[in-house]
């Protein structure tokens, strides 16, 4: 996953550096623009769960900006205001390269990329999660019920509520209010 200007480092900016790093031809446009990407392909596994239209990036002017100019990529989004590829993917035999011209990719897009790569997804909300083998912390984006999916069965204990939540389960449900953090101890079953 590459954002903005990967490989464009050094005393002079070089297109070769970015191609060597990303596997894509990424070009520089020396104009000042608000750097935004509009997703325009909702059929790809990365984007098909998004509710469109989706536009992301920064409202601050940026100079220069970059875009993909490569016939070997699949374009998923365009630089807002231009018919230039701003979100693209290219698959190679042993790896896949994803490039975004703009920062601040939406959580749903990152989840689509991660899910397709085989990364475990703990919940489907735009929540912030901190997880290790023994603790899971959820900072919710809005109120409501969450179904948390664990990659392995665990006994789950609500640390802040001081109560058991699940026993030997790989899924559990909790209700969270805005600005209420959920903290859960994960233990081996039994």
């Amino acid at each position: 996953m590459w954002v903005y200007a990967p490989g464009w480092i050094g005393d002079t900016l070089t297109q070769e550096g970015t191609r060597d790093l990303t596997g894509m031809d990424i070009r520089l446009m020396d104009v000042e623009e608000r750097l935004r990407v509009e997703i325009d392909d909702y059929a790809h596994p990365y984007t098909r769960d998004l509710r469109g239209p989706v536009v992301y990036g920064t409202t601050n002017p940026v100079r220069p900006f970059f875009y993909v100019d490569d016939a070997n990529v699949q374009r998923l989004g365009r630089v807002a205001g231009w018919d230039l590829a701003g979100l693209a993917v290219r698959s190679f035999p042993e790896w896949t390269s994803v490039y975004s011209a703009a920062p601040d990719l939406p959580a749903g897009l990152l989840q689509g990329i991660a899910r397709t790569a085989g990364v475990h997804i703990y919940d489907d909300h735009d929540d912030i999660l901190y997880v290790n083998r023994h603790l899971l912390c959820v900072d919710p984006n809005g109120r409501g019920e969450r179904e948390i999916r664990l990659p392995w069965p665990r006994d789950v204990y609500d640390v802040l509520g001081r109560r058991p939540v699940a026993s030997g389960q790989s899924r559990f449900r909790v209700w969270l209010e805005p600005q209420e953090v959920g903290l859960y101890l994960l233990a081996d079953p039994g």
Side-chain angles (χ1 to χ4, degrees):
M1 179 79 223
W2 312 100
V3 178
Y4 186 61
W8 291 81
I9 300 172
D11 295 334
T12 59
L13 301 176
T14 66
Q15 184 179 355
E16 294 76 27
T18 193
R19 185 183 324 111
D20 291 346
L21 185 61
T22 67
M24 298 182 195
D25 284 322
I26 298 173
R27 300 202 189 282
L28 173 146
M29 176 121 4
D30 194 20
V31 296
E32 188 171 74
E33 288 284 329
R34 288 181 358 163
L35 192 49
R36 315 267 300 151
V37 169
E38 298 175 5
I39 295 183
D40 57 12
D41 179 350
Y42 290 92
H44 192 276
Y46 295 169
T47 57
R48 68 175 164 224
D49 292 334
L50 297 175
R51 296 177 215 349
V54 173
V55 180
Y56 67 90
T58 179
T59 58
N60 298 324
V62 174
R63 182 178 193 152
F65 78 84
F66 298 85
Y67 65 95
V68 179
D69 184 20
D70 190 326
N72 297 309
V73 304
Q74 182 173 356
R75 173 178 142 167
L76 303 180
R78 68 183 186 91
V79 176
W82 300 78
D83 191 25
L84 302 171
L87 177 64
V89 60
R90 183 170 180 195
S91 296
F92 295 91
E94 295 187 15
W95 65 290
T96 299
S97 186
V98 180
Y99 172 78
S100 174
D104 300 330
L105 284 74
L109 176 59
L110 291 171
Q111 284 180 351
I113 294 167
R115 183 178 287 115
T116 303
V119 175
H120 181 80
I121 306 296
Y122 286 84
D123 87 6
D124 292 321
H125 293 268
D126 292 347
D127 300 328
I128 298 171
L129 283 94
Y130 303 94
V131 185
N132 66 28
R133 183 154 175 80
H134 301 290
L135 287 173
L136 182 141
C137 179
V138 182
D139 185 356
N141 181 18
R143 75 188 302 247
E145 185 177 63
R146 301 297 194 267
E147 180 182 56
I148 307 296
R149 295 178 302 276
L150 303 173
W152 57 88
R154 307 296 276 169
D155 288 344
V156 181
Y157 183 79
D158 181 344
V159 174
L160 301 175
R162 297 181 178 201
R163 63 179 181 81
V165 175
S167 179
Q169 301 296 311
S170 59
R171 294 175 182 254
F172 66 96
R173 293 181 183 273
V174 294
W175 181 274
L176 295 170
E177 295 292 333
Q179 300 178 1
E180 173 189 13
V181 173
L183 181 61
Y184 307 96
L185 178 65
L186 308 175
D188 292 328

